[in-house]
Amino acid sequence: MKLKISFLFIILSQFFISQQGKIINNQSTAFKLLDKEDPIEFIVYDTQLNHKKPVFLWCQGSLPYPIYVNSKEEGLWIIGGGITNFDVENIVKNYHLVIISMPKTPLIADEKDINESYWYYGNSKNENQPTLDFQKADYLENYVNRAQKVLKFLNKQKWVDRSKLIVAGSSQGSKVATKIAIANKNVSKLGLFSANPFGRIDQNIRNYRKDAEQRKITWEAANKGIEDEYQMFRDAYNPKKLAQKPELLAWKSFSVPLFDDWLQFKKPIYLAYGTHDIASDLNDLVPIYFIRENNNNLTFKRYLNLEHNFFEVENGKVNHQKPHWEEVMNDFVEWTLK
């Protein structure tokens, strides 16, 4: 009996700590939801949760980036799903900025467990390959389910203004944001950045065509590459192949077209992308679909001469000294306040 009581106390204690949150780096408040499948960690970018504000949920892109890295020389520093590229203070003036950790990825990762690209490879033998646990958890429905649980938790907090809920994401995160908006009736505005309306795999096929058109490769090489993409996609839908190569799960899951979802969502949508981004260059077609359906809820922002992460492109090369994410995000924040 004493053992059962002690065990219950431990569970309740952990739950209480999760509910209260923990200050990280004097910068954010971290929470942990003790889910059966996979504990869900997330941060609210604030240390004082005593002002009632709506939630701004930022959905990360692909790969298992931790939210924080623990470095011997630099201490804790934040990646935060790319929010360091934003004017964060401009967001938190009006919103509780929330970022959910990637599945099977620690919220705080030690620097010995991240590779040169700063994502977590943990116990993987190859530092350029995510852990097997992450590969098995890296599918769209999982991200949406985890986000739904976080939003349900936030919806119960006294410091959350439930009159508005902003959900936004970039690249893979735009797919997650889209499905959250469809699944959660409380989402009031949807932000999509560097999104691919056809999913994911099509950009590889288009890339082969462009390379052949620009004579970077022969049409024979492009033809072979495209056929290989088809075969990879067939394998992703083959249960036996999928069991052997769990990395295919993400290709299967995230290659779902988004047009129907966007048309189904009747609340305001904001779609922004750079014209040098092959992943999202088919966004030029999106307004046609909205016009045809007589939907007037789309705000469309085309950023000229910028690439996938909104850096300038000069002479065909990305100039990382000329970023524009701050400008892009500030435009969106201003739109959400209208």
Side-chain angles (χ1 to χ4, degrees):
M1 184 66 180
K2 288 183 178 179
L3 181 62
K4 288 183 179 179
I5 293 173
S6 299
F7 181 67
L8 179 61
F9 177 77
I10 290 170
I11 292 176
L12 291 175
S13 298
Q14 289 177 331
F15 183 72
F16 180 76
I17 292 170
S18 301
Q19 295 281 312
Q20 294 301 311
K22 179 182 178 181
I23 304 301
I24 304 292
N25 207 31
N26 199 30
Q27 193 174 42
S28 66
T29 306
F31 294 87
K32 186 175 184 178
L33 303 183
L34 302 177
D35 188 68
K36 289 181 184 178
E37 304 282 327
D38 177 20
I40 304 169
E41 296 182 282
F42 65 95
I43 65 165
V44 180
Y45 195 88
D46 203 340
T47 58
Q48 299 291 326
L49 300 179
N50 47 20
H51 294 290
K52 198 168 186 177
K53 294 184 287 186
V55 166
F56 181 122
L57 176 62
W58 176 249
C59 302
Q60 302 188 58
S62 57
L63 296 174
Y65 287 97
I67 292 179
Y68 279 95
V69 173
N70 188 17
S71 166
K72 288 183 180 179
E73 294 185 3
E74 301 176 45
L76 282 179
W77 55 274
I78 190 169
I79 296 176
I83 66 168
T84 52
N85 296 307
F86 308 158
D87 178 0
V88 175
E89 295 306 317
N90 188 46
I91 300 174
V92 301
K93 279 190 301 185
N94 298 286
Y95 298 106
H96 288 303
L97 177 58
V98 176
I99 304 99
I100 304 171
S101 65
M102 300 296 276
K104 302 296 183 180
T105 305
L107 187 145
I108 301 175
D110 193 274
E111 62 180 343
K112 67 178 175 57
D113 295 322
I114 63 171
N115 63 14
E116 292 183 356
S117 298
Y118 303 111
W119 54 261
Y120 176 78
Y121 69 92
N123 60 7
S124 176
K125 294 180 181 179
N126 181 350
E127 67 176 31
N128 292 312
Q129 184 175 33
T131 65
L132 184 59
D133 284 342
F134 174 78
Q135 292 177 50
K136 290 180 177 180
D138 185 28
Y139 58 96
L140 183 54
E141 297 80 3
N142 189 32
Y143 287 89
V144 176
N145 290 338
R146 295 170 85 248
Q148 287 283 71
K149 291 170 183 175
V150 169
L151 292 173
K152 183 178 180 180
F153 168 83
L154 292 170
N155 201 42
K156 297 177 181 178
Q157 307 310 306
K158 294 180 179 179
W159 38 270
V160 169
D161 177 357
R162 294 185 291 275
S163 66
K164 182 170 24 174
L165 171 58
I166 308 299
V167 175
S170 179
S171 193
Q172 177 176 293
S174 67
K175 300 171 178 62
V176 177
T178 295
K179 294 298 185 179
I180 293 171
I182 296 300
N184 192 315
K185 64 180 181 180
N186 295 322
V187 176
S188 49
K189 291 188 176 182
L190 173 62
L192 307 167
F193 300 87
S194 303
N196 183 341
F198 285 95
R200 176 185 282 182
I201 197 169
D202 77 283
Q203 68 198 58
N204 291 356
I205 294 169
R206 289 185 285 110
N207 207 31
Y208 280 116
R209 289 190 62 86
K210 284 192 174 184
D211 284 349
E213 288 167 357
Q214 296 169 8
R215 298 185 180 182
K216 294 179 180 178
I217 60 174
T218 65
W219 275 108
E220 288 76 14
N223 182 65
K224 182 181 183 306
I226 291 171
E227 291 298 327
D228 288 344
E229 292 295 327
Y230 293 157
Q231 186 56 54
M232 186 266 282
F233 205 46
R234 288 189 194 99
D235 291 345
Y237 276 85
N238 182 326
K240 291 183 179 179
K241 294 286 187 181
L242 193 56
Q244 296 169 0
K245 297 181 178 180
E247 69 271 15
L248 294 175
L249 180 59
W251 285 101
K252 175 184 177 182
S253 174
F254 287 105
S255 293
V256 177
L258 301 175
F259 277 112
D260 289 342
D261 294 311
W262 293 349
L263 292 171
Q264 180 184 337
F265 188 71
K266 301 304 181 182
K267 298 171 187 177
I269 300 174
Y270 189 97
L271 179 62
Y273 81 105
T275 57
H276 260 290
D277 179 15
I278 189 169
S280 59
D281 60 9
L282 293 180
N283 278 330
D284 288 328
L285 303 177
V286 173
I288 295 173
Y289 286 76
F290 278 76
I291 292 168
R292 189 175 64 187
E293 297 296 323
N294 200 29
N295 286 2
N296 299 312
N297 59 321
L298 176 68
T299 296
F300 189 80
K301 296 283 286 187
R302 186 187 293 115
Y303 288 89
L304 307 183
N305 205 42
L306 304 185
E307 49 80 76
H308 191 65
N309 291 305
F310 298 104
F311 289 102
E312 289 187 22
V313 176
E314 296 177 345
N315 300 317
K317 295 183 178 180
V318 180
N319 186 342
H320 290 103
Q321 303 304 312
K322 294 184 178 180
H324 288 268
W325 245 128
E326 186 172 307
E327 166 199 342
V328 170
M329 183 52 63
N330 282 348
D331 287 346
F332 173 66
V333 172
E334 182 180 353
W335 174 84
T336 67
L337 298 172
K338 294 177 180 178

